[in-house]
Amino acid sequence: MDKLVIEGGVPLSGEIAVSGAKNAALPALAACLLTAEPVILDRIPQVRDIRTMLDLIGHIIGAEVSVEGGRVTIHSARIEHPEAPYELVKTMRASSLVLGPLVGRCGRARVSLPGGCAIGARPINLHVSGLERLGAEVRQEHGYIEAVAPHGLQGANVQFDRISVTGTEDLLMAAVLARGETVIENAAREPEVADLAALLAAMGAKIEGAGTSTIRVQGVAKLGGAEHTIIPDRIEAGTFLIGGALTGGDLTVRGCVPEHLRALIAKLQQAGVDVTEPSPDTLRVRVPGKLKNVDITTEEHPGFATDLQAQFMTLMTQAAGISFVTETIFENRFMHAQELARMGANIRLEGRQAIVAGPTPLSGAQVIASDLRASASLVLAGLAARGETVVDRVYHIDRGYEKIESKLAGAGARIRRETS
Ligand code: EPZ
């Protein structure tokens, strides 16, 4: 079980480069199942969740997947096993993203129910009801979802009861091969949805409105191969920007899309952080004075991203005053709070709200990561703390951050990985 050992107190400075977005790469990999032609994807981040998805796709197509650094080539000439087995899905719930493509491509899919995870129940009922609207017959048995559409899928109007990112992506991938038109209402507007639509369009799909709440799809009979470069990871970029502010440094994050981070940028500026855009794909943070308390409420994009909530909470422990952090997307996404408290933070939890009183000096401690973004917030806290912090269960971080310790060390952090 690897650990990250951090000696705090060093301001981050210089530059950090952003990798491709894990949450855009996962649906893009699943989309390769929709065609018998080869698809080439570039800027795929080399993180654990991607390896899990590549293993799953290799199992489904019964063939090797070609990986050369950040370039992945998937040739789904045949679908040997239209299924996502439990042993793979239990480690990554985004495996449910193969549901739509498999039903769309071969009229059937057997996908293990993901089960909950640390941050919440994480059901996929919206994915299932969307597929049923397109004519799939879905039943649940022995912990698996079995979906069949022996006569193919029929386009329909689908209204999402609540916004779901992978629910929207799953349905979009099912609709592109359905007969006729599908209209998805209350669709997720995340940039990762728009990136998936760009890949599908390159494969020959007919899609309008991706990135807005209403997506219109004209089904086509077949999709072809394509080559596509994944968008940069806005959550990784946001994590590093917060780290630069938290450590009082002067940090430039390169290879990002500032447009994807407007909500975070606005909150950082309210907190007294100087955020500039030296070029179209870079953001720079400096802290001229004291950090000020700021309230955040997580919302679907373009609101403040829930995946940056834990990191921003860490920042607010160093801000003067009371900050209210409200989490509206997941029911249990404050587990980092008690670990931050062990480092000296003053945080009170009241249901969906965390009340942070700052500034409180943080002192290094042994802490345990519970989920991907909580572990990132603990690494950031370690960078700002006095003394040594040891973050255990670093496999959480490795799910979504590529080479995090070398990237941070490259910006001056004293951080190393201990493999035990
Ligand atoms: C995606 O998860 C991201 N993962 C998550 O990132 C992110 O936190 C989340 O969107 C919200 O932005 C990927 O894209 C692979 P949802 P997803 O469906 O699609 C409920 C990370 O750290 N819901 O938008 O699973 C659900 O429980 C990860 O990179 C249903 O009730 O999230 C949640 O409360 C963590 N039924 C809310 O909707 C469903 O069928 C939003 O979930 C689906 C979701």
Side-chain angles (χ1 to χ4, degrees):
M1 195 96 79
D2 287 6
K3 295 183 170 119
L4 288 178
V5 181
I6 304 156
E7 190 60 42
V10 179
L12 293 180
S13 61
E15 274 198 9
I16 290 188
V18 177
S19 301
K22 161 181 86 81
N23 290 350
L26 290 168
L29 292 168
C32 299
L33 297 169
L34 284 163
T35 175
E37 304 301 319
V39 178
I40 299 174
L41 298 173
D42 284 308
R43 200 159 49 194
I44 296 284
Q46 296 169 55
V47 296
R48 244 159 59 91
D49 275 6
I50 297 298
R51 281 194 293 280
T52 303
M53 183 60 92
L54 291 172
D55 291 346
L56 174 56
I57 288 174
H59 168 77
I60 289 171
I61 65 176
E64 284 302 302
V65 172
S66 150
V67 180
E68 295 152 56
R71 167 168 284 207
V72 169
T73 304
I74 293 180
H75 188 181
S76 311
R78 280 181 314 287
I79 301 290
E80 294 283 332
H81 311 285
E83 61 169 19
Y86 176 69
E87 53 277 3
L88 280 174
V89 175
K90 74 178 180 206
T91 63
M92 185 189 64
R93 65 176 312 282
S95 309
S96 55
L97 281 166
V98 303
L99 196 54
L102 286 175
V103 179
R105 168 82 184 273
C106 60
R108 62 196 174 96
R110 183 170 181 273
V111 173
S112 165
L113 277 163
C117 73
I119 61 178
R122 312 291 298 274
I124 58 169
N125 58 307
L126 300 173
H127 300 231
V128 169
S129 48
L131 285 172
E132 288 173 328
R133 284 285 298 140
L134 297 187
E137 289 150 29
V138 184
R139 66 197 180 98
Q140 180 176 325
E141 204 169 46
H142 308 306
Y144 276 79
I145 290 281
E146 311 223 351
V148 289
H151 312 297
L153 295 172
Q154 175 62 47
N157 284 9
V158 182
Q159 173 80 30
F160 270 91
D161 290 351
R162 75 174 287 177
I163 294 171
S164 166
V165 176
T166 50
T168 300
E169 293 164 345
D170 228 346
L171 205 63
L172 181 55
M173 291 189 279
V176 293
L177 290 177
R179 284 185 306 280
E181 179 180 70
T182 296
V183 181
I184 304 174
E185 300 282 4
N186 202 19
R189 295 184 278 170
E190 271 67 7
E192 292 75 26
V193 175
D195 198 42
L196 171 64
L199 165 62
L200 292 169
M203 294 163 68
K206 297 195 180 344
I207 302 169
E208 285 168 20
T212 74
S213 302
T214 302
I215 303 177
R216 201 174 286 275
V217 182
Q218 303 302 331
V220 294
K222 222 160 82 77
L223 290 176
E227 186 159 344
H228 178 74
T229 299
I230 300 295
I231 53 171
D233 194 317
R234 61 192 167 98
I235 304 303
E236 183 195 23
T239 302
F240 293 137
L241 290 170
I242 293 169
L246 181 66
T247 56
D250 179 350
L251 183 70
T252 297
V253 173
R254 175 168 300 288
C256 63
V257 178
E259 195 48 41
H260 292 167
L261 287 155
R262 290 292 169 220
L264 173 67
I265 292 168
K267 288 295 177 182
L268 287 174
Q269 289 171 335
Q270 280 172 37
V273 179
D274 179 31
V275 186
T276 54
E277 300 179 28
S279 69
D281 74 342
T282 53
L283 282 164
R284 180 177 178 186
V285 287
R286 279 165 289 185
V287 185
K290 292 267 175 246
L291 285 170
K292 290 179 241 155
N293 57 320
V294 164
D295 298 341
I296 60 165
T297 298
T298 62
E299 288 171 337
E300 294 86 358
H301 194 78
F304 192 95
T306 174
D307 291 348
L308 289 171
Q309 176 259 105
Q311 300 90 315
F312 200 85
M313 185 188 289
T314 302
L315 182 67
M316 288 299 101
T317 68
Q318 303 309 299
I322 303 284
S323 306
F324 290 90
V325 176
T326 307
E327 172 59 56
T328 69
I329 306 292
F330 290 110
E331 58 269 32
N332 185 32
R333 203 166 198 180
F334 285 148
M335 281 159 305
H336 44 286
Q338 66 257 32
E339 293 302 289
L340 290 172
R342 293 184 55 247
M343 297 175 74
N346 179 342
I347 303 170
R348 199 171 79 246
L349 300 182
E350 286 184 4
R352 291 283 182 125
Q353 201 159 57
I355 299 128
V356 184
T360 52
L362 297 177
S363 60
Q366 288 203 295
V367 289
I368 287 189
S370 51
D371 74 270
L372 170 54
R373 306 304 172 182
S375 36
S377 75
L378 296 176
V379 169
L380 295 186
L383 296 175
R386 189 173 29 77
E388 182 178 90
T389 297
V390 179
V391 182
D392 206 345
R393 295 190 192 163
V394 170
Y395 58 85
H396 286 298
I397 275 214
D398 294 337
R399 296 188 53 175
Y401 288 90
E402 193 176 39
K403 308 189 189 80
I404 190 165
E405 70 270 20
S406 52
K407 287 191 178 188
L408 287 170
R414 288 185 299 232
I415 180 171
R416 69 177 191 279
R417 179 181 292 257
E418 270 184 8
T419 304
S420 49

